[in-house]
Amino acid sequence: MDVNALLLLVDIVEAGNLSQAARKRKMSRANISYHLTQLEKSLGQQLVRRTTRRIDPTEAGLRLYRHGCVIRDELQAAQESVASLREGLHGSVRLAVPTGFGQLVMSHWLIEFKRLHPSIRLELLFDNRVDDLLRDEVDLAIRVLSEPPPQLIARELSRMRHIVCASRQYAQAHPLPTRLEDLAQVPLITSNVVGRALRVSAYRGEERHEIALQPTLASENFQFLHEAILAGLGVGLVPDYVVARELAAGTVVTGLDDWRLSIFGSRLFLLRMPDRYETLATRTLIDFVLAQAKAWAEATPQAGGSASATLPNC
């Protein structure tokens, strides 16, 4: 059996369609289809079922795919082992991080990682999609979720918490929300997702409520939300790390502190594909991120509890 044809089958199965596999291989779709057909003819068995949108492996195709994954991983490990004798720690990692947490917290970690490992090529994507591990050939993704997708390998990094907050100057001139229903009555500053209704889940003891939000200022750019809150444009509903420094300094205050609030999820996960080979560069980055996340959670009271300043009844 042609090993290259077997590795091609691995790419096709993981891509889910011929067009995506062709883009990864930098080949034409017709060429991909031809080699797949030749492999099926040589084996005398159908390996994938084709539909207009995607392909799925047959039982024979799935068995070959699993063997192909092992061969691919062994080849990569062999190349990595020999290269490390000559070049030291090297390789490339493609990492997707959330726009807010990535910009405001993780950017400092990743700059330090590059200082420590200058020979590792690091490519960063700042976005909030969950399904990009396969589509964009991302090696790792950091995501804020309630629960990780079952088809992915997940490591929990930290708990996340949304807070209701405002600049101290704003809070001295306007009452902060004291009831969940008040969120509908204030100029609300928060994040959004295009094409998705915005709702907040609120928990207090055994109580659980879900409230629709109509923000007066919404953006996926968390640095902009940070500046808008400090400018006194309204009441923020953001992750606590967005205003962590101002909370510590007392220039931002909070309301509804007896509620646990969540918009997109309350847990931060590191995600990866289960069948994708972990290069030494990828493993090094995983270990680094896990250590940084642990140190951040331990040094940030807001990540696991409440250390925020409040102005009750103001």
Side-chain angles (χ1 to χ4, degrees):
M1 182 184 297
D2 184 356
V3 173
N4 288 326
L6 183 57
L7 296 179
L8 177 65
L9 176 66
V10 170
D11 287 340
I12 292 172
V13 172
E14 291 187 345
N17 63 71
L18 296 182
S19 297
Q20 185 72 13
R23 283 192 290 271
K24 179 179 180 180
R25 285 266 178 156
K26 295 181 172 57
M27 299 168 61
S28 69
R29 187 181 184 282
N31 202 1
I32 290 281
S33 181
Y34 170 79
H35 286 291
L36 174 60
T37 300
Q38 292 302 112
L39 178 61
E40 290 179 323
K41 285 181 178 179
S42 69
L43 296 171
Q45 293 196 63
Q46 182 182 5
L47 299 178
V48 299
R49 298 183 185 89
R50 298 168 174 83
T51 67
T52 55
R53 293 192 173 182
R54 62 170 292 111
I55 62 169
D56 293 298
T58 62
E59 182 179 353
L62 189 57
R63 290 189 180 188
L64 274 182
Y65 164 74
R66 289 169 178 160
H67 286 292
C69 286
V70 173
I71 293 172
R72 177 195 61 187
D73 293 350
E74 286 297 324
L75 285 172
Q76 289 180 338
Q79 292 171 348
E80 191 176 74
S81 177
V82 173
S84 66
L85 295 174
R86 182 181 70 253
E87 304 173 11
L89 184 59
H90 74 292
S92 62
V93 186
R94 202 165 194 231
L95 172 67
V97 297
T99 55
F101 193 77
Q103 292 166 352
L104 299 177
V105 179
M106 287 195 69
S107 59
H108 305 293
W109 305 355
L110 298 171
I111 288 171
E112 179 62 19
F113 179 81
K114 276 298 294 178
R115 286 198 182 104
L116 294 172
H117 306 288
S119 296
I120 293 180
R121 297 186 302 276
L122 186 60
E123 183 178 354
L124 298 177
L125 283 75
F126 288 83
D127 63 54
N128 297 314
R129 296 175 299 178
V130 179
D131 59 345
D132 54 7
L133 276 163
L134 183 56
R135 181 180 59 220
D136 292 335
E137 298 174 25
V138 171
D139 298 300
L140 303 169
I142 310 296
R143 289 293 178 260
V144 178
L145 302 164
S146 297
E147 295 291 338
Q151 71 273 22
L152 301 179
I153 294 176
R155 296 284 298 272
E156 186 168 351
L157 301 178
S158 176
R159 291 280 174 167
M160 307 297 289
R161 190 170 68 96
H162 275 71
I163 58 171
V164 172
C165 63
S167 68
R168 181 172 289 275
Q169 183 179 10
Y170 177 92
Q172 289 171 342
H174 306 85
L176 287 181
T178 58
R179 303 172 306 155
L180 290 175
E181 296 78 9
D182 295 340
L183 291 175
Q185 309 301 321
V186 297
L188 192 63
I189 302 170
T190 190
S191 52
N192 69 342
V193 175
V194 176
R196 173 176 165 182
L198 203 57
R199 307 184 71 85
V200 61
S201 298
Y203 307 86
R204 184 174 63 181
E206 298 299 319
E207 291 184 73
R208 182 189 184 278
H209 300 274
E210 192 170 279
I211 300 172
L213 300 177
Q214 295 292 333
T216 58
L217 183 59
S219 173
E220 289 189 14
N221 187 315
F222 282 77
Q223 183 60 46
F224 174 75
L225 297 178
H226 171 265
E227 294 176 8
I229 292 168
L230 298 187
L233 298 183
V235 175
L237 178 56
V238 294
D240 51 13
Y241 63 77
V242 174
V243 291
R245 287 176 297 180
E246 291 77 16
L247 286 172
T251 55
V252 165
V253 296
T254 62
L256 297 179
D257 292 318
D258 52 341
W259 290 93
R260 290 184 296 112
L261 305 174
S262 171
I263 296 181
F264 305 112
S266 58
R267 302 160 70 191
L268 184 72
F269 291 98
L270 184 151
L271 306 172
R272 65 180 180 86
M273 295 287 290
D275 297 320
R276 188 165 294 167
Y277 174 67
E278 254 186 33
T279 65
L280 182 56
T282 300
R283 293 196 298 273
T284 302
L285 179 58
I286 289 174
D287 291 341
F288 181 84
V289 169
L290 290 173
Q292 290 292 317
K294 180 180 179 181
W296 174 77
E298 291 173 349
T300 309
Q302 291 87 0
S306 178
S308 49
T310 60
L311 281 182
N313 301 321
C314 63

